[in-house]
Amino acid sequence: MNIRQDASHLDLVTDVLIIGGGPAGTWAAWSAATSGAKVVLVDKGYCGTSGAAAASGNGVWYVPPDPEQREAAMASREAMGGFLADRHWMTRVLDRTYDNINSLADEGYPFSVDADGNVIRRSLQGPDYMRFMRRRIKQAGVKILDHSPALELLVDIEGSVAGAKGINRQSGERWTVRAGAVVIATGGCAFLSKALGCNVLTGDGLLMAAEAGADFSGMEFSNAYAISPAFSSVTKTRYYDWASFTYEDGTVIEGAGSKRGRSVIAKTLLNQPVYARLDQNMDGQTKAWMRASQPNFFVPFDRAGIDPFTQRFPVTLRLEGTVRGTGGIKIADYTCVTSVNGLYAAGDAATRELICGGFTGGGSHNAAWAMSSGYWSGQSAANYVLSLGKHATQRSVQGVGEAGLHGEGNSKFSPDEAIAATQAEVFPYDRNLFRTATGLSASLDRLNHLWQEIRHSHTPDDSQIVRSREAVAMVATARWMYNSGLQRQETRGMHKREDFPEQDPHQQYRLLSGGLDKIWVKPESVVAKRELVTV
């Protein structure tokens, strides 16, 4: 690994660059390094502590290779996801997750043990898990740049991705990493909704991938909202399976629940507050298990002097967007390569439709997809680079970042104002959760106008450059979401159209999307046929 550092710039040359330091990124880094590649990983925060997974417990879609158990595991979510999942991908992920979890156990990861002494491999404690993964990739020889968000991808003369440029948030030092291949593992986009662990998840990787020419899939499945105390950022909806929900006067809200009743909660919140209490089928053993499994869930209650098992507390729904949605960068094949040569994607940044269709929740499938796609993308990127030989890191390259990074206009835009304007379009339940053609079109008009304002603004200075790119990424993500939502004229998975409340069997296909100044959306089958004819 060649390194040159001066007072203002750090230059690195490596085989594989990983952008993002969560589960997907660290699995990709470990897999690439153990496949013989030199690896650099850059993280917007501190690899091992930033991101949604590091903040809390993670359930894992870990199923022993028993045919009946595997069949039940695959069938359980198919209808909920609108029958858009792929059984071949589900099988691969179940196999890979099973092996990956067992490898963690073999290397000494401290799995929990139940009352009978059995090791529980269906759950990972985020802080322990990510601390373990950081140590693991460092031992494998991976160079980590913490607090170093990527700002743009580099491409060669043929359009293949060949590295990235970024900045260190603490020192202000610019960095460039030239690489044979890049893995985007930056997570999804939660639009700075204050959901736990999501403050770094602003869609940066989606923006950079689009600028390099990558396509997306399932961006209409992006309106995941999680239940949270109104006074807290902790979004652990699973625990609300034991909750009763009431109006302010204590009357039970009929139909409200953590799963199928979340829309009832949202509709109530449009007009009045909602209260919860964890008092359904609750006993001492369950209480003890809850506190042991997710201790951070109880921290805000303890600080506020509230016993959530006996006292009511106000709740809200926080947008988790594509972090708990299933849309993301389109995966072209089993290697987890995108539609752009040299660019791979993993975790929440990549579409999870392949195993979830149009619906997922927290943990479980998400955690399994992160470690599986991370493993495959890292391994595949390494194999790709090694097949290129010395030429891989000796190409002439240029940056492809534009909006919010390089501009020739005279006007200046405020990143914080752009973020607030985007949030005003994606936070409200009656715009994003309960969608209509009228509402989506109106939001898109405002978002498109905002995009044009940004595109005609001049280059921000370094003190604003990271926030500027975050703002641009959020605007772009919202536009892919709402254009895709407008195209899908039915209700399927988490995508709910008030003006098309039924699932349409003729729309049982995935929607691809892309573009920046002009967004396009097409059914996957149409795109596939078009490409076949073109070839």
Side-chain angles (χ1 to χ4, degrees):
M1 189 179 301
N2 302 321
I3 301 177
R4 181 179 67 78
Q5 186 171 7
D6 57 34
S8 60
H9 205 104
L10 172 68
D11 285 334
L12 303 177
V13 178
T14 191
D15 294 326
V16 177
L17 169 64
I18 313 294
I19 304 179
T26 49
W27 274 101
W30 180 84
S31 184
T34 55
S35 295
K38 296 177 181 178
V39 182
V40 171
L41 181 148
V42 298
D43 194 348
K44 191 182 198 178
Y46 182 86
C47 173
T49 64
S50 68
S56 57
N58 297 258
V60 185
W61 202 33
Y62 175 85
V63 183
D66 172 77
E68 290 188 6
Q69 291 187 56
R70 289 284 176 92
E71 171 60 29
M74 289 189 286
S76 64
R77 292 284 186 96
E78 285 183 308
M80 197 178 295
F83 300 100
L84 296 179
D86 184 316
R87 279 289 182 108
H88 295 292
W89 272 98
M90 295 169 89
T91 299
R92 293 183 76 234
V93 168
L94 283 168
D95 287 342
R96 184 72 264 156
T97 301
Y98 186 77
D99 289 344
N100 282 2
I101 288 291
N102 290 343
S103 75
L104 291 180
D106 292 341
E107 293 183 30
Y109 175 80
F111 284 99
S112 300
V113 178
D114 65 19
D116 298 321
N118 300 312
V119 176
I120 304 172
R121 297 191 179 183
R122 296 187 304 277
S123 178
L124 295 163
Q125 287 298 324
D128 295 337
Y129 178 30
M130 294 316 304
R131 187 184 306 115
F132 187 92
M133 290 301 295
R134 180 185 176 97
R135 183 170 64 248
R136 194 184 195 210
I137 65 173
K138 289 190 72 173
Q139 290 173 346
V142 175
K143 179 176 180 60
I144 301 172
L145 300 184
D146 294 307
H147 309 294
S148 298
L151 296 174
E152 64 177 324
L153 294 178
L154 303 174
V155 301
D156 66 15
I157 193 170
E158 296 178 349
S160 297
V161 172
K165 289 184 177 182
I167 191 170
N168 184 288
R169 300 176 69 152
Q170 296 180 322
S171 67
E173 177 187 58
R174 292 282 188 144
W175 57 261
T176 298
V177 177
R178 293 162 56 90
V182 174
V183 177
I184 295 284
T186 51
C189 182
F191 298 94
L192 295 175
S193 64
K194 295 185 171 67
L196 183 65
C198 293
N199 62 308
V200 294
L201 306 177
T202 50
D204 309 353
L206 306 185
L207 174 64
M208 290 186 287
E211 290 172 332
D215 301 337
F216 301 90
S217 182
M219 291 303 289
E220 69 272 33
F221 304 121
S222 50
N223 53 345
Y225 287 83
I227 303 173
S228 163
F231 51 84
S232 166
S233 64
V234 179
T235 52
K236 282 297 161 187
T237 298
R238 171 77 170 87
Y239 279 9
Y240 293 93
D241 288 354
W242 288 270
S244 59
F245 297 91
T246 57
Y247 297 107
E248 192 164 13
D249 64 3
T251 305
V252 172
I253 303 173
E254 294 298 330
S258 65
K259 293 179 179 176
R260 298 186 184 279
R262 213 173 304 181
S263 293
V264 176
I265 295 173
K267 287 183 177 179
T268 306
L269 284 168
L270 289 172
N271 302 303
Q272 58 187 299
V274 172
Y275 293 82
R277 181 168 51 211
L278 307 181
D279 57 3
Q280 300 298 296
N281 303 312
M282 189 60 63
D283 55 34
Q285 185 176 359
T286 303
K287 290 180 182 179
W289 165 79
M290 293 171 82
R291 280 197 173 269
S293 298
Q294 300 282 357
N296 63 349
F297 177 87
F298 296 94
V299 171
F301 293 109
D302 293 342
R303 287 176 175 169
I306 296 172
D307 180 355
F309 300 112
T310 62
Q311 295 174 273
R312 295 193 311 150
F313 55 92
V315 295
T316 189
L317 296 177
R318 297 195 184 279
L319 180 65
E320 293 181 316
T322 70
V323 177
R324 293 289 180 261
T326 64
I329 302 169
K330 179 181 180 291
I331 298 299
D333 59 35
Y334 285 154
T335 68
C336 288
V337 71
T338 70
S339 52
V340 181
N341 286 337
L343 182 64
Y344 298 78
D348 292 347
T351 181
R352 201 161 38 238
E353 286 176 298
L354 299 167
I355 65 166
C356 297
F359 179 88
T360 186
S364 188
H365 293 65
N366 305 5
W369 175 244
M371 66 173 62
S372 298
S373 60
Y375 180 96
W376 291 319
S377 61
Q379 183 183 66
S380 302
N383 292 339
Y384 169 78
V385 174
L386 296 175
S387 72
L388 294 178
K390 294 182 179 179
H391 167 70
T393 56
Q394 297 176 353
R395 295 169 287 176
S396 176
V397 299
Q398 64 177 6
V400 292
E402 293 184 355
L405 184 62
H406 305 296
E408 298 179 354
N410 296 320
S411 61
K412 180 181 180 181
F413 90 99
S414 164
D416 288 339
E417 288 179 6
I419 289 169
T422 305
Q423 291 173 332
E425 304 302 333
V426 298
F427 282 1
Y429 316 132
D430 53 354
R431 294 188 190 180
N432 194 1
L433 186 57
F434 308 116
R435 296 170 167 177
T436 65
T438 301
L440 291 171
S441 296
S443 285
L444 280 171
D445 285 344
R446 291 184 288 268
L447 290 165
N448 289 336
H449 179 72
L450 179 58
W451 177 263
Q452 288 303 317
E453 282 188 354
I454 295 171
R455 290 288 278 133
H456 293 96
S457 298
H458 63 67
T459 303
D461 59 43
D462 278 5
S463 67
Q464 287 284 296
I465 200 73
V466 174
R467 199 62 161 181
S468 173
R469 288 292 271 175
E470 288 179 335
V472 172
M474 283 186 264
V475 177
T477 302
R479 292 167 71 233
W480 293 316
M481 284 167 43
Y482 281 2
N483 275 284
S484 297
L486 196 60
Q487 178 84 2
R488 187 173 288 283
Q489 298 181 355
E490 62 163 351
T491 290
R492 186 183 296 268
M494 67 174 62
H495 170 69
K496 297 178 176 65
R497 283 289 294 268
E498 296 285 278
D499 45 355
F500 295 98
E502 302 300 325
Q503 184 169 294
D504 179 3
H506 296 103
Q507 295 186 53
Q508 190 175 321
Y509 47 70
R510 301 186 192 118
L511 285 178
L512 305 188
S513 57
L516 287 161
D517 291 330
K518 184 177 181 180
I519 306 296
W520 59 266
V521 182
K522 293 182 175 69
E524 185 175 38
S525 56
V526 172
V527 173
K529 289 177 182 177
R530 181 196 66 194
E531 292 176 346
L532 185 61
V533 171
T534 302
V535 173

